[in-house]
Amino acid sequence: MSLLATWQSLSMQNRIFSVGAVLVTFLLFGLLLQQTTKPQMALLYSGLEPSAAGEVIAELEGLGATYEVRGETIYTDATRRDMLRLELARQGLPRQSVTGYELLDNLNSFAMTSEMFNTAYWRAKEGELSRTIMSLPTVTTARVHIGTAKQSSFSRTPSAQTASVTVTTNNRLDPQQARAVQYLAALAVSGLAPDDVAVIDTVHGVLAGPGATNDMLGGSADTDERALRIEQALVSLLEARVGPGNARVSVSMEIDRNREVVSERVFDPESRVIKSRTASEVSETSNGTGPANVTVASNLPEGDGQGGSSSSSDRSETTEDTQYEISEVRREAEKMPGNVSRMTVAVLLNDMVITSTEGEVTVEPRTAEEMSDLQELVSAAAGIDTSRGDVLTMKSLAFSAVPELDALPSPGIAQQFIGTHLWSMIQVGILAVVVMVLGLFVVKPLLTPQASAPVLAESPALQLADGTAAGNAAALQSPGAGAAGALENGSAEDALAARMDPVDRLRDLTAEKPDDAAALLMSWLEEEGRVAS
């Protein structure tokens, strides 16, 4: 009843202010509760494709889980994250866009030809290879394309000829990783050679295989790696003498990236080698009787002239055929890219720091003998060859002193909590202060029942001190003072009413306190009667 009476006693303007203040207070209080009860969000998935992310969000809505989408990442309530991951995994989410051998599960062998099956088989093979390649730490996406020849009727399995692997990476693949991808694809497909697999980066181009600009040994990445190994070896060698941190080494290498095949054939005319030797020997012997000398007796019948003479002959012949061949040397050499054509090594050593017995610290340059010995060691360790233009430079100079920074202590549990939840705490504190201000200084004064105004006749400002009409006259002539004394608590509303027009203020007082106004009028009439008498 008091609240209803207070509401009825308020003016329309005060009622509007009261309702607005209450609504704003409840609104801010609701925001405060929302901030304090808001769950802590944790990463659920990141880097999903749009189709897979849409399926995950639809499933989260079906499970009634709280989630937030921030770019390509999905956040959810930290207390339910692990459970949601298991639930989504049970549903087969997030679904991978690359399909593997599961593509063959739903094939109907009675309704497809051999060519259709081969196409599905190679698609499944490409998907499995893509999944395996994407398991590399630096690879984000991968696609594999296998080029196969048409299967012969007399061959049971199709033969693969070439393949290409296209990858998108966070960082460029090094030569070893690119070579590993080649062997991975080649060993997974029967009949495919590693050199026939091209590894293509979407940013850096062809990394390995057909179409590569340089062999792996000629690449800039390998050059930097070789230079780094030499630097580390030289630093380790020098620090054994000059101490840790007192040596700096820089190695620059120029690599010959040309491939050269040299074929050489040399003949030596001074040296002869018997190729073949053939020997033949012929021996002949002949015996016979020959006619005698022709005389007159030879014409006589049965004469002595019929006699003859006997003869014999021997012939021997030996033949030797020898073939000689000139000495010949054939050389074939292939010069692969990656040879060092020129190398430059710069070594900087710190001067010697000598501490005397009195504790004085002095810096002295190293002696020429020591620098010569160290230069010989560095030249031998780095493989300096002056004939090809290698340069070795060694200097002994004082290093600049680097100021030591105090190590920052690890933050404690309280500091970690403040650093993590500081902004949330500030928001909650601001909202709490605003709610308290509105509640204490706006809503409470408007809804608190005002104290009943004292009877105007009993007010100190209006009460006649000496029983004469002068007091009433003074009260009427000083409406501000009379209004100020009309209320005991002296609130801001009474002070505002005191500054109003006296006639309006009297009318309001009469409407609000009719009994007090009547008593006041009666006292005025009585005073006027006594004055008249």
Side-chain angles (χ1 to χ4, degrees):
M1 294 300 293
S2 61
L3 183 62
L4 180 60
T6 303
W7 176 259
Q8 291 178 353
S9 63
L10 295 177
S11 61
M12 183 58 64
Q13 184 178 6
N14 292 339
R15 291 179 181 179
I16 295 175
F17 286 158
S18 301
V19 173
V22 171
L23 292 178
V24 171
T25 303
F26 279 107
L27 178 61
L28 294 177
F29 188 73
L31 292 176
L32 176 61
L33 291 178
Q34 182 181 3
Q35 291 294 330
T36 54
T37 59
K38 184 178 180 181
Q40 185 179 1
M41 308 303 288
L43 178 63
L44 181 62
Y45 293 113
S46 177
L48 297 178
E49 295 185 356
S51 58
E55 293 179 352
V56 170
I57 291 175
E59 187 65 23
L60 290 177
E61 292 179 351
L63 295 175
T66 303
Y67 68 92
E68 290 182 5
V69 179
R70 305 174 187 174
E72 297 182 354
T73 58
I74 302 175
Y75 289 83
T76 187
D77 187 1
T79 58
R80 298 187 57 189
R81 181 188 62 181
D82 296 338
M83 185 191 69
L84 290 174
R85 284 181 177 176
L86 295 176
E87 182 64 25
L88 293 174
R90 188 177 67 86
Q91 300 294 335
L93 299 176
R95 203 180 311 277
Q96 296 184 357
S97 60
V98 180
T99 56
Y101 286 129
E102 64 270 14
L103 187 64
L104 306 177
D105 295 339
N106 299 325
L107 294 182
N108 186 0
S109 59
F110 296 99
M112 64 187 315
T113 62
S114 59
E115 293 183 356
M116 295 172 62
F117 178 80
N118 290 335
T119 302
Y121 171 78
W122 288 117
R123 284 183 59 194
K125 179 72 73 174
E126 292 172 352
E128 290 294 329
L129 287 174
S130 299
R131 289 178 178 176
T132 306
I133 295 172
M134 283 191 295
S135 63
L136 296 176
T138 58
V139 178
T140 56
T141 60
R143 293 293 301 274
V144 178
H145 301 278
I146 301 175
T148 58
K150 186 176 181 180
Q151 184 180 4
S152 174
S153 302
F154 301 97
S155 178
R156 294 188 178 184
T157 57
S159 59
Q161 293 182 350
T162 58
S164 63
V165 180
T166 305
V167 295
T168 302
T169 60
N170 298 326
N171 193 9
R172 181 176 180 177
L173 292 177
D174 55 32
Q176 290 78 9
Q177 289 177 330
R179 193 65 177 170
V181 171
Q182 283 184 304
Y183 275 93
L184 172 64
L187 296 178
V189 181
S190 176
L192 182 61
D195 293 335
D196 294 332
V197 179
V199 180
I200 304 171
D201 194 310
T202 56
V203 177
H204 302 93
V206 181
L207 301 180
T213 55
N214 296 310
D215 282 345
M216 291 299 174
L217 294 178
S220 60
D222 184 73
T223 302
D224 298 338
E225 184 178 355
R226 294 168 66 180
L228 180 61
R229 288 200 299 265
I230 295 176
E231 290 177 2
Q232 293 175 350
L234 294 179
V235 169
S236 177
L237 177 64
L238 292 172
E239 286 184 348
R241 169 61 183 173
V242 300
N246 292 323
R248 299 291 186 270
V249 179
S250 177
V251 178
S252 177
M253 304 174 66
E254 295 181 5
I255 303 299
D256 185 9
R257 295 183 174 87
N258 297 323
R259 181 179 180 182
E260 182 180 358
V261 179
V262 179
S263 178
E264 184 180 6
R265 187 176 182 182
V266 180
F267 295 93
D268 187 4
E270 300 298 331
S271 62
R272 295 183 300 171
V273 179
I274 298 177
K275 181 178 181 181
S276 64
R277 176 179 293 177
T278 304
S280 62
E281 183 177 353
V282 178
S283 178
E284 295 181 359
T285 303
S286 62
N287 295 319
T289 300
N293 297 329
V294 179
T295 61
V296 177
S298 301
N299 294 325
L300 296 178
E302 298 180 0
D304 294 337
Q306 298 296 326
S309 61
S310 62
S311 63
S312 63
S313 64
D314 294 332
R315 186 176 68 88
S316 178
E317 180 180 356
T318 301
T319 305
E320 182 178 3
D321 184 10
T322 303
Q323 293 183 356
Y324 293 92
E325 191 174 50
I326 300 176
S327 177
E328 178 185 356
V329 178
R330 292 185 179 181
R331 297 188 183 93
E332 290 186 359
E334 183 178 2
K335 183 180 179 182
M336 300 297 294
N339 293 330
V340 180
S341 59
R342 186 171 181 270
M343 181 168 56
T344 303
V345 179
V347 178
L348 176 62
L349 301 177
N350 190 14
D351 288 344
M352 294 185 298
V353 179
I354 301 175
T355 304
S356 62
T357 56
E358 291 79 8
E360 296 181 359
V361 178
T362 58
V363 178
E364 296 180 0
R366 300 184 182 275
T367 62
E369 183 180 359
E370 182 182 5
M371 293 295 295
S372 178
D373 295 338
L374 293 177
Q375 187 170 2
E376 291 180 3
L377 290 175
V378 171
S379 178
I384 299 297
D385 187 1
T386 56
S387 62
R388 67 183 180 187
D390 294 353
V391 178
L392 172 60
T393 304
M394 290 190 64
K395 296 293 182 181
S396 177
L397 300 173
F399 285 4
S400 299
V402 179
E404 296 183 359
L405 300 177
D406 296 336
L408 297 176
S410 58
I413 298 177
Q415 293 180 351
Q416 294 179 0
F417 178 80
I418 293 175
T420 304
H421 305 283
L422 179 60
W423 178 242
S424 300
M425 295 170 62
I426 292 175
Q427 290 179 339
V428 171
I430 293 174
L431 290 176
V433 171
V434 172
V435 169
M436 292 177 61
V437 169
L438 290 176
L440 294 176
F441 298 101
V442 178
V443 178
K444 183 178 179 180
L446 291 175
L447 299 181
T448 301
Q450 297 180 359
S452 299
V455 181
L456 297 180
E458 299 176 355
S459 177
L462 299 179
Q463 188 177 7
L464 294 176
D466 52 357
T468 61
N472 291 335
L476 291 177
Q477 293 175 1
S478 303
L487 297 177
E488 295 180 354
N489 56 359
S491 63
E493 184 180 357
D494 298 332
L496 178 62
R499 292 193 296 266
M500 295 174 58
D501 186 71
V503 178
D504 295 337
R505 177 60 181 162
L506 182 60
R507 186 182 298 109
D508 293 340
L509 291 175
T510 304
E512 293 176 2
K513 307 293 182 178
D515 297 336
D516 296 340
L520 179 62
L521 291 176
M522 290 296 296
S523 63
W524 287 352
L525 292 176
E526 292 178 356
E527 289 295 333
E528 289 180 358
R530 285 196 294 270
V531 171
S533 59

